Amino acid sequence: MVRTPSIDKNGIKRGAWSEKEDNKLRAYVERFGHPNWRQLPKYAGLMRCGKSCRLRWMNYLRPDLKKGKYSHEEEELIIKLHKELGNRWSAIAAKLPGRSDNDVKNHWHAHLKKRARLTNSNSSNMEQFTELSISGSQNEQSSYKVSEHEATDCNIREVPDHFDTPCPPEVSSSDLNGMDWMEEDNYMRSMEQFSIFSSLEPLPDSFSLTNPIDNFQTESFDHFWTQPFDNFWTQPFI
DNA sequence: AAAAAAATCAACCGCCATTCA
DNA sequence: CTGAATGGCGGTTGATTTTTT
């Protein structure tokens, strides 16, 4: 159900995400946040575009995501909200804690569209509606099993708190093929960066002091920008 | 048992709104 | 004001799985 992994002409990886990539992205976002999605993959050691990283996080890795079957209440709410808001999936998803817009949209097209249409066109015929609801539920038994299985396989909460990727990504000469000097420099730096932060569990205080995100939260903007960038090359990004 | 059809859902694409220099 | 960069959104695709024939 996922697209075959491939690498495009710019060296950007596409298609299904591997567990290793998920771990890198999760570790990075949980530690440093995501103030800039476009820059993130470079510093997280991912050969993905920022858009792809954002999508993966929002629709799959976010720790508050709810997996598995939709409750009857959730489905009724989606139908009601869709009637009010139309195809504004993000607005609808915002009312359903733990559900992403993509997930809600998929569920609508797969399960609810037909039901909503029937409810609208034949709202007086409750018998027919009930019958369709029951057959829908039977179909969903199988999809629920799949979801449950997938959730067990991929559930973030099942993975130990400290993800198991202590080793930095390997750098081979083939990785550098086709890169100009600047890309190569950035890539090598990101590898170094990754190896630094992933090998420290937990990070020492001295590192967190130079973490720009922490500084943004605790120091004034001016104070932050007047600090010397002693270890500029090993900071995540600014 | 095999083939065909339908269902599923993660991922991609293109567009638009916002921000910032 | 303008244009580039970025984030976010909705529509669509396509590989895989499940169901039906």
PDB file of all heavy atoms in Angstrom, chain B residues 6-18:
ATOM      1  P    DA B   6     -15.049  -3.774  -9.656  1.00  0.00           P
ATOM      2  OP1  DA B   6     -16.518  -3.575  -9.761  1.00  0.00           O
ATOM      3  OP2  DA B   6     -14.123  -2.931 -10.444  1.00  0.00           O
ATOM      4  O5'  DA B   6     -14.641  -3.661  -8.117  1.00  0.00           O
ATOM      5  C5'  DA B   6     -15.154  -4.623  -7.188  1.00  0.00           C
ATOM      6  C4'  DA B   6     -14.606  -4.324  -5.814  1.00  0.00           C
ATOM      7  O4'  DA B   6     -13.221  -4.720  -5.758  1.00  0.00           O
ATOM      8  C3'  DA B   6     -14.664  -2.845  -5.421  1.00  0.00           C
ATOM      9  O3'  DA B   6     -15.253  -2.785  -4.126  1.00  0.00           O
ATOM     10  C2'  DA B   6     -13.201  -2.397  -5.449  1.00  0.00           C
ATOM     11  C1'  DA B   6     -12.461  -3.691  -5.152  1.00  0.00           C
ATOM     12  N9   DA B   6     -11.100  -3.816  -5.689  1.00  0.00           N
ATOM     13  C8   DA B   6     -10.686  -3.571  -6.970  1.00  0.00           C
ATOM     14  N7   DA B   6      -9.399  -3.798  -7.169  1.00  0.00           N
ATOM     15  C5   DA B   6      -8.950  -4.224  -5.926  1.00  0.00           C
ATOM     16  C6   DA B   6      -7.684  -4.624  -5.465  1.00  0.00           C
ATOM     17  N6   DA B   6      -6.597  -4.674  -6.239  1.00  0.00           N
ATOM     18  N1   DA B   6      -7.578  -4.997  -4.167  1.00  0.00           N
ATOM     19  C2   DA B   6      -8.667  -4.956  -3.392  1.00  0.00           C
ATOM     20  N3   DA B   6      -9.910  -4.601  -3.717  1.00  0.00           N
ATOM     21  C4   DA B   6      -9.987  -4.237  -5.011  1.00  0.00           C
ATOM     22  P    DA B   7     -15.395  -1.399  -3.360  1.00  0.00           P
ATOM     23  OP1  DA B   7     -16.647  -1.459  -2.576  1.00  0.00           O
ATOM     24  OP2  DA B   7     -15.158  -0.278  -4.296  1.00  0.00           O
ATOM     25  O5'  DA B   7     -14.167  -1.466  -2.349  1.00  0.00           O
ATOM     26  C5'  DA B   7     -14.025  -2.638  -1.522  1.00  0.00           C
ATOM     27  C4'  DA B   7     -12.824  -2.472  -0.615  1.00  0.00           C
ATOM     28  O4'  DA B   7     -11.614  -2.629  -1.381  1.00  0.00           O
ATOM     29  C3'  DA B   7     -12.730  -1.113   0.083  1.00  0.00           C
ATOM     30  O3'  DA B   7     -12.454  -1.361   1.447  1.00  0.00           O
ATOM     31  C2'  DA B   7     -11.582  -0.397  -0.637  1.00  0.00           C
ATOM     32  C1'  DA B   7     -10.715  -1.574  -1.087  1.00  0.00           C
ATOM     33  N9   DA B   7      -9.913  -1.362  -2.290  1.00  0.00           N
ATOM     34  C8   DA B   7     -10.338  -0.890  -3.499  1.00  0.00           C
ATOM     35  N7   DA B   7      -9.388  -0.855  -4.419  1.00  0.00           N
ATOM     36  C5   DA B   7      -8.267  -1.332  -3.758  1.00  0.00           C
ATOM     37  C6   DA B   7      -6.935  -1.542  -4.175  1.00  0.00           C
ATOM     38  N6   DA B   7      -6.497  -1.287  -5.402  1.00  0.00           N
ATOM     39  N1   DA B   7      -6.068  -2.047  -3.261  1.00  0.00           N
ATOM     40  C2   DA B   7      -6.502  -2.306  -2.032  1.00  0.00           C
ATOM     41  N3   DA B   7      -7.731  -2.153  -1.526  1.00  0.00           N
ATOM     42  C4   DA B   7      -8.573  -1.656  -2.451  1.00  0.00           C
ATOM     43  P    DT B   8     -12.383  -0.158   2.483  1.00  0.00           P
ATOM     44  OP1  DT B   8     -12.865  -0.686   3.770  1.00  0.00           O
ATOM     45  OP2  DT B   8     -12.990   1.055   1.891  1.00  0.00           O
ATOM     46  O5'  DT B   8     -10.815   0.085   2.598  1.00  0.00           O
ATOM     47  C5'  DT B   8      -9.969  -1.017   2.941  1.00  0.00           C
ATOM     48  C4'  DT B   8      -8.532  -0.576   2.904  1.00  0.00           C
ATOM     49  O4'  DT B   8      -8.111  -0.430   1.542  1.00  0.00           O
ATOM     50  C3'  DT B   8      -8.248   0.757   3.600  1.00  0.00           C
ATOM     51  O3'  DT B   8      -7.363   0.499   4.667  1.00  0.00           O
ATOM     52  C2'  DT B   8      -7.613   1.628   2.514  1.00  0.00           C
ATOM     53  C1'  DT B   8      -7.147   0.599   1.499  1.00  0.00           C
ATOM     54  N1   DT B   8      -7.076   1.013   0.070  1.00  0.00           N
ATOM     55  C2   DT B   8      -5.888   0.814  -0.611  1.00  0.00           C
ATOM     56  O2   DT B   8      -4.892   0.346  -0.099  1.00  0.00           O
ATOM     57  N3   DT B   8      -5.915   1.201  -1.927  1.00  0.00           N
ATOM     58  C4   DT B   8      -6.989   1.744  -2.616  1.00  0.00           C
ATOM     59  O4   DT B   8      -6.889   2.035  -3.800  1.00  0.00           O
ATOM     60  C5   DT B   8      -8.197   1.919  -1.854  1.00  0.00           C
ATOM     61  C7   DT B   8      -9.414   2.493  -2.499  1.00  0.00           C
ATOM     62  C6   DT B   8      -8.185   1.555  -0.550  1.00  0.00           C
ATOM     63  P    DC B   9      -7.214   1.528   5.848  1.00  0.00           P
ATOM     64  OP1  DC B   9      -6.806   0.755   7.039  1.00  0.00           O
ATOM     65  OP2  DC B   9      -8.402   2.385   5.889  1.00  0.00           O
ATOM     66  O5'  DC B   9      -5.983   2.412   5.374  1.00  0.00           O
ATOM     67  C5'  DC B   9      -4.714   1.791   5.178  1.00  0.00           C
ATOM     68  C4'  DC B   9      -3.780   2.758   4.471  1.00  0.00           C
ATOM     69  O4'  DC B   9      -4.176   2.907   3.091  1.00  0.00           O
ATOM     70  C3'  DC B   9      -3.775   4.184   5.065  1.00  0.00           C
ATOM     71  O3'  DC B   9      -2.452   4.664   5.006  1.00  0.00           O
ATOM     72  C2'  DC B   9      -4.622   4.968   4.067  1.00  0.00           C
ATOM     73  C1'  DC B   9      -4.151   4.290   2.788  1.00  0.00           C
ATOM     74  N1   DC B   9      -4.971   4.514   1.582  1.00  0.00           N
ATOM     75  C2   DC B   9      -4.383   4.307   0.328  1.00  0.00           C
ATOM     76  O2   DC B   9      -3.207   3.936   0.283  1.00  0.00           O
ATOM     77  N3   DC B   9      -5.111   4.541  -0.784  1.00  0.00           N
ATOM     78  C4   DC B   9      -6.380   4.936  -0.685  1.00  0.00           C
ATOM     79  N4   DC B   9      -7.056   5.143  -1.818  1.00  0.00           N
ATOM     80  C5   DC B   9      -7.002   5.136   0.575  1.00  0.00           C
ATOM     81  C6   DC B   9      -6.270   4.916   1.683  1.00  0.00           C
ATOM     82  P    DA B  10      -1.761   5.115   6.359  1.00  0.00           P
ATOM     83  OP1  DA B  10      -1.833   4.022   7.346  1.00  0.00           O
ATOM     84  OP2  DA B  10      -2.289   6.451   6.695  1.00  0.00           O
ATOM     85  O5'  DA B  10      -0.259   5.265   5.850  1.00  0.00           O
ATOM     86  C5'  DA B  10       0.396   4.151   5.275  1.00  0.00           C
ATOM     87  C4'  DA B  10       1.204   4.599   4.073  1.00  0.00           C
ATOM     88  O4'  DA B  10       0.336   4.922   2.979  1.00  0.00           O
ATOM     89  C3'  DA B  10       2.070   5.826   4.328  1.00  0.00           C
ATOM     90  O3'  DA B  10       3.317   5.597   3.678  1.00  0.00           O
ATOM     91  C2'  DA B  10       1.289   6.971   3.662  1.00  0.00           C
ATOM     92  C1'  DA B  10       0.594   6.245   2.510  1.00  0.00           C
ATOM     93  N9   DA B  10      -0.694   6.796   2.093  1.00  0.00           N
ATOM     94  C8   DA B  10      -1.718   7.222   2.889  1.00  0.00           C
ATOM     95  N7   DA B  10      -2.779   7.629   2.213  1.00  0.00           N
ATOM     96  C5   DA B  10      -2.430   7.449   0.894  1.00  0.00           C
ATOM     97  C6   DA B  10      -3.104   7.680  -0.317  1.00  0.00           C
ATOM     98  N6   DA B  10      -4.352   8.164  -0.384  1.00  0.00           N
ATOM     99  N1   DA B  10      -2.471   7.388  -1.464  1.00  0.00           N
ATOM    100  C2   DA B  10      -1.232   6.889  -1.396  1.00  0.00           C
ATOM    101  N3   DA B  10      -0.487   6.620  -0.328  1.00  0.00           N
ATOM    102  C4   DA B  10      -1.152   6.928   0.808  1.00  0.00           C
ATOM    103  P    DA B  11       4.508   6.583   3.852  1.00  0.00           P
ATOM    104  OP1  DA B  11       5.737   5.790   3.798  1.00  0.00           O
ATOM    105  OP2  DA B  11       4.239   7.488   4.988  1.00  0.00           O
ATOM    106  O5'  DA B  11       4.398   7.440   2.519  1.00  0.00           O
ATOM    107  C5'  DA B  11       4.569   6.781   1.262  1.00  0.00           C
ATOM    108  C4'  DA B  11       4.251   7.742   0.150  1.00  0.00           C
ATOM    109  O4'  DA B  11       2.845   8.024   0.147  1.00  0.00           O
ATOM    110  C3'  DA B  11       4.963   9.091   0.223  1.00  0.00           C
ATOM    111  O3'  DA B  11       5.818   9.189  -0.898  1.00  0.00           O
ATOM    112  C2'  DA B  11       3.836  10.127   0.192  1.00  0.00           C
ATOM    113  C1'  DA B  11       2.652   9.330  -0.352  1.00  0.00           C
ATOM    114  N9   DA B  11       1.332   9.778   0.099  1.00  0.00           N
ATOM    115  C8   DA B  11       0.907   9.974   1.376  1.00  0.00           C
ATOM    116  N7   DA B  11      -0.342  10.374   1.464  1.00  0.00           N
ATOM    117  C5   DA B  11      -0.762  10.445   0.153  1.00  0.00           C
ATOM    118  C6   DA B  11      -1.983  10.807  -0.443  1.00  0.00           C
ATOM    119  N6   DA B  11      -3.055  11.185   0.262  1.00  0.00           N
ATOM    120  N1   DA B  11      -2.066  10.758  -1.794  1.00  0.00           N
ATOM    121  C2   DA B  11      -0.992  10.377  -2.490  1.00  0.00           C
ATOM    122  N3   DA B  11       0.216  10.014  -2.053  1.00  0.00           N
ATOM    123  C4   DA B  11       0.262  10.070  -0.706  1.00  0.00           C
ATOM    124  P    DC B  12       6.670  10.484  -1.193  1.00  0.00           P
ATOM    125  OP1  DC B  12       7.946  10.008  -1.743  1.00  0.00           O
ATOM    126  OP2  DC B  12       6.623  11.409  -0.046  1.00  0.00           O
ATOM    127  O5'  DC B  12       5.838  11.145  -2.384  1.00  0.00           O
ATOM    128  C5'  DC B  12       5.495  10.347  -3.523  1.00  0.00           C
ATOM    129  C4'  DC B  12       4.626  11.148  -4.465  1.00  0.00           C
ATOM    130  O4'  DC B  12       3.322  11.333  -3.861  1.00  0.00           O
ATOM    131  C3'  DC B  12       5.179  12.535  -4.779  1.00  0.00           C
ATOM    132  O3'  DC B  12       5.217  12.712  -6.189  1.00  0.00           O
ATOM    133  C2'  DC B  12       4.195  13.495  -4.120  1.00  0.00           C
ATOM    134  C1'  DC B  12       2.918  12.674  -4.050  1.00  0.00           C
ATOM    135  N1   DC B  12       2.021  13.031  -2.912  1.00  0.00           N
ATOM    136  C2   DC B  12       0.698  13.408  -3.179  1.00  0.00           C
ATOM    137  O2   DC B  12       0.292  13.447  -4.342  1.00  0.00           O
ATOM    138  N3   DC B  12      -0.107  13.732  -2.143  1.00  0.00           N
ATOM    139  C4   DC B  12       0.363  13.678  -0.888  1.00  0.00           C
ATOM    140  N4   DC B  12      -0.465  14.010   0.088  1.00  0.00           N
ATOM    141  C5   DC B  12       1.703  13.295  -0.601  1.00  0.00           C
ATOM    142  C6   DC B  12       2.500  12.983  -1.636  1.00  0.00           C
ATOM    143  P    DC B  13       5.866  13.976  -6.847  1.00  0.00           P
ATOM    144  OP1  DC B  13       6.490  13.541  -8.114  1.00  0.00           O
ATOM    145  OP2  DC B  13       6.657  14.704  -5.831  1.00  0.00           O
ATOM    146  O5'  DC B  13       4.601  14.874  -7.186  1.00  0.00           O
ATOM    147  C5'  DC B  13       3.531  14.311  -7.948  1.00  0.00           C
ATOM    148  C4'  DC B  13       2.485  15.387  -8.200  1.00  0.00           C
ATOM    149  O4'  DC B  13       1.665  15.529  -7.014  1.00  0.00           O
ATOM    150  C3'  DC B  13       3.093  16.751  -8.496  1.00  0.00           C
ATOM    151  O3'  DC B  13       2.503  17.265  -9.674  1.00  0.00           O
ATOM    152  C2'  DC B  13       2.768  17.597  -7.275  1.00  0.00           C
ATOM    153  C1'  DC B  13       1.561  16.891  -6.676  1.00  0.00           C
ATOM    154  N1   DC B  13       1.485  16.947  -5.192  1.00  0.00           N
ATOM    155  C2   DC B  13       0.282  17.342  -4.581  1.00  0.00           C
ATOM    156  O2   DC B  13      -0.684  17.649  -5.285  1.00  0.00           O
ATOM    157  N3   DC B  13       0.211  17.376  -3.222  1.00  0.00           N
ATOM    158  C4   DC B  13       1.277  17.043  -2.490  1.00  0.00           C
ATOM    159  N4   DC B  13       1.155  17.087  -1.159  1.00  0.00           N
ATOM    160  C5   DC B  13       2.506  16.633  -3.092  1.00  0.00           C
ATOM    161  C6   DC B  13       2.565  16.607  -4.428  1.00  0.00           C
ATOM    162  P    DG B  14       3.186  18.543 -10.407  1.00  0.00           P
ATOM    163  OP1  DG B  14       3.182  18.268 -11.857  1.00  0.00           O
ATOM    164  OP2  DG B  14       4.433  18.929  -9.710  1.00  0.00           O
ATOM    165  O5'  DG B  14       2.097  19.671 -10.109  1.00  0.00           O
ATOM    166  C5'  DG B  14       0.721  19.366 -10.258  1.00  0.00           C
ATOM    167  C4'  DG B  14      -0.101  20.432  -9.574  1.00  0.00           C
ATOM    168  O4'  DG B  14      -0.075  20.219  -8.143  1.00  0.00           O
ATOM    169  C3'  DG B  14       0.397  21.857  -9.805  1.00  0.00           C
ATOM    170  O3'  DG B  14      -0.722  22.674 -10.065  1.00  0.00           O
ATOM    171  C2'  DG B  14       1.091  22.221  -8.495  1.00  0.00           C
ATOM    172  C1'  DG B  14       0.251  21.434  -7.500  1.00  0.00           C
ATOM    173  N9   DG B  14       0.903  21.093  -6.231  1.00  0.00           N
ATOM    174  C8   DG B  14       2.204  20.704  -6.044  1.00  0.00           C
ATOM    175  N7   DG B  14       2.489  20.463  -4.782  1.00  0.00           N
ATOM    176  C5   DG B  14       1.310  20.701  -4.109  1.00  0.00           C
ATOM    177  C6   DG B  14       0.994  20.611  -2.729  1.00  0.00           C
ATOM    178  O6   DG B  14       1.737  20.286  -1.794  1.00  0.00           O
ATOM    179  N1   DG B  14      -0.335  20.942  -2.475  1.00  0.00           N
ATOM    180  C2   DG B  14      -1.249  21.315  -3.433  1.00  0.00           C
ATOM    181  N2   DG B  14      -2.478  21.605  -2.999  1.00  0.00           N
ATOM    182  N3   DG B  14      -0.978  21.409  -4.725  1.00  0.00           N
ATOM    183  C4   DG B  14       0.319  21.094  -4.988  1.00  0.00           C
ATOM    184  P    DC B  15      -0.548  24.120 -10.670  1.00  0.00           P
ATOM    185  OP1  DC B  15      -1.306  24.133 -11.950  1.00  0.00           O
ATOM    186  OP2  DC B  15       0.864  24.544 -10.624  1.00  0.00           O
ATOM    187  O5'  DC B  15      -1.365  24.989  -9.610  1.00  0.00           O
ATOM    188  C5'  DC B  15      -2.618  24.508  -9.140  1.00  0.00           C
ATOM    189  C4'  DC B  15      -2.869  25.053  -7.753  1.00  0.00           C
ATOM    190  O4'  DC B  15      -1.979  24.410  -6.817  1.00  0.00           O
ATOM    191  C3'  DC B  15      -2.623  26.560  -7.625  1.00  0.00           C
ATOM    192  O3'  DC B  15      -3.849  27.202  -7.317  1.00  0.00           O
ATOM    193  C2'  DC B  15      -1.603  26.689  -6.489  1.00  0.00           C
ATOM    194  C1'  DC B  15      -1.682  25.339  -5.787  1.00  0.00           C
ATOM    195  N1   DC B  15      -0.434  24.892  -5.121  1.00  0.00           N
ATOM    196  C2   DC B  15      -0.434  24.666  -3.741  1.00  0.00           C
ATOM    197  O2   DC B  15      -1.479  24.855  -3.098  1.00  0.00           O
ATOM    198  N3   DC B  15       0.707  24.259  -3.136  1.00  0.00           N
ATOM    199  C4   DC B  15       1.809  24.067  -3.857  1.00  0.00           C
ATOM    200  N4   DC B  15       2.918  23.660  -3.222  1.00  0.00           N
ATOM    201  C5   DC B  15       1.833  24.286  -5.271  1.00  0.00           C
ATOM    202  C6   DC B  15       0.697  24.693  -5.857  1.00  0.00           C
ATOM    203  P    DC B  16      -3.957  28.768  -7.393  1.00  0.00           P
ATOM    204  OP1  DC B  16      -5.272  29.078  -7.998  1.00  0.00           O
ATOM    205  OP2  DC B  16      -2.714  29.326  -7.947  1.00  0.00           O
ATOM    206  O5'  DC B  16      -4.018  29.152  -5.844  1.00  0.00           O
ATOM    207  C5'  DC B  16      -4.885  28.434  -4.964  1.00  0.00           C
ATOM    208  C4'  DC B  16      -4.562  28.810  -3.534  1.00  0.00           C
ATOM    209  O4'  DC B  16      -3.349  28.142  -3.126  1.00  0.00           O
ATOM    210  C3'  DC B  16      -4.323  30.302  -3.332  1.00  0.00           C
ATOM    211  O3'  DC B  16      -5.080  30.730  -2.209  1.00  0.00           O
ATOM    212  C2'  DC B  16      -2.829  30.421  -3.099  1.00  0.00           C
ATOM    213  C1'  DC B  16      -2.507  29.063  -2.472  1.00  0.00           C
ATOM    214  N1   DC B  16      -1.101  28.587  -2.648  1.00  0.00           N
ATOM    215  C2   DC B  16      -0.391  28.122  -1.528  1.00  0.00           C
ATOM    216  O2   DC B  16      -0.955  28.135  -0.424  1.00  0.00           O
ATOM    217  N3   DC B  16       0.875  27.680  -1.690  1.00  0.00           N
ATOM    218  C4   DC B  16       1.431  27.692  -2.894  1.00  0.00           C
ATOM    219  N4   DC B  16       2.689  27.242  -3.009  1.00  0.00           N
ATOM    220  C5   DC B  16       0.734  28.155  -4.046  1.00  0.00           C
ATOM    221  C6   DC B  16      -0.517  28.586  -3.877  1.00  0.00           C
ATOM    222  P    DA B  17      -5.198  32.258  -1.855  1.00  0.00           P
ATOM    223  OP1  DA B  17      -6.637  32.516  -1.631  1.00  0.00           O
ATOM    224  OP2  DA B  17      -4.432  33.074  -2.823  1.00  0.00           O
ATOM    225  O5'  DA B  17      -4.452  32.332  -0.449  1.00  0.00           O
ATOM    226  C5'  DA B  17      -4.785  31.373   0.555  1.00  0.00           C
ATOM    227  C4'  DA B  17      -3.913  31.596   1.773  1.00  0.00           C
ATOM    228  O4'  DA B  17      -2.600  31.044   1.540  1.00  0.00           O
ATOM    229  C3'  DA B  17      -3.707  33.064   2.139  1.00  0.00           C
ATOM    230  O3'  DA B  17      -3.793  33.178   3.548  1.00  0.00           O
ATOM    231  C2'  DA B  17      -2.315  33.392   1.593  1.00  0.00           C
ATOM    232  C1'  DA B  17      -1.604  32.031   1.658  1.00  0.00           C
ATOM    233  N9   DA B  17      -0.626  31.780   0.602  1.00  0.00           N
ATOM    234  C8   DA B  17      -0.774  31.998  -0.733  1.00  0.00           C
ATOM    235  N7   DA B  17       0.275  31.646  -1.453  1.00  0.00           N
ATOM    236  C5   DA B  17       1.164  31.146  -0.520  1.00  0.00           C
ATOM    237  C6   DA B  17       2.463  30.607  -0.634  1.00  0.00           C
ATOM    238  N6   DA B  17       3.103  30.468  -1.796  1.00  0.00           N
ATOM    239  N1   DA B  17       3.073  30.209   0.486  1.00  0.00           N
ATOM    240  C2   DA B  17       2.428  30.339   1.660  1.00  0.00           C
ATOM    241  N3   DA B  17       1.216  30.828   1.898  1.00  0.00           N
ATOM    242  C4   DA B  17       0.630  31.218   0.753  1.00  0.00           C
ATOM    243  P    DT B  18      -3.580  34.576   4.262  1.00  0.00           P
ATOM    244  OP1  DT B  18      -4.472  34.604   5.436  1.00  0.00           O
ATOM    245  OP2  DT B  18      -3.638  35.648   3.236  1.00  0.00           O
ATOM    246  O5'  DT B  18      -2.074  34.466   4.787  1.00  0.00           O
ATOM    247  C5'  DT B  18      -1.681  33.297   5.513  1.00  0.00           C
ATOM    248  C4'  DT B  18      -0.199  33.365   5.814  1.00  0.00           C
ATOM    249  O4'  DT B  18       0.560  33.073   4.613  1.00  0.00           O
ATOM    250  C3'  DT B  18       0.276  34.721   6.318  1.00  0.00           C
ATOM    251  O3'  DT B  18       0.940  34.508   7.557  1.00  0.00           O
ATOM    252  C2'  DT B  18       1.204  35.234   5.224  1.00  0.00           C
ATOM    253  C1'  DT B  18       1.669  33.933   4.567  1.00  0.00           C
ATOM    254  N1   DT B  18       2.081  34.009   3.135  1.00  0.00           N
ATOM    255  C2   DT B  18       3.304  33.489   2.788  1.00  0.00           C
ATOM    256  O2   DT B  18       4.078  32.994   3.579  1.00  0.00           O
ATOM    257  N3   DT B  18       3.595  33.575   1.455  1.00  0.00           N
ATOM    258  C4   DT B  18       2.804  34.107   0.448  1.00  0.00           C
ATOM    259  O4   DT B  18       3.183  34.115  -0.710  1.00  0.00           O
ATOM    260  C5   DT B  18       1.531  34.636   0.881  1.00  0.00           C
ATOM    261  C7   DT B  18       0.596  35.240  -0.111  1.00  0.00           C
ATOM    262  C6   DT B  18       1.234  34.558   2.189  1.00  0.00           C
TER     263       DT B  18
END
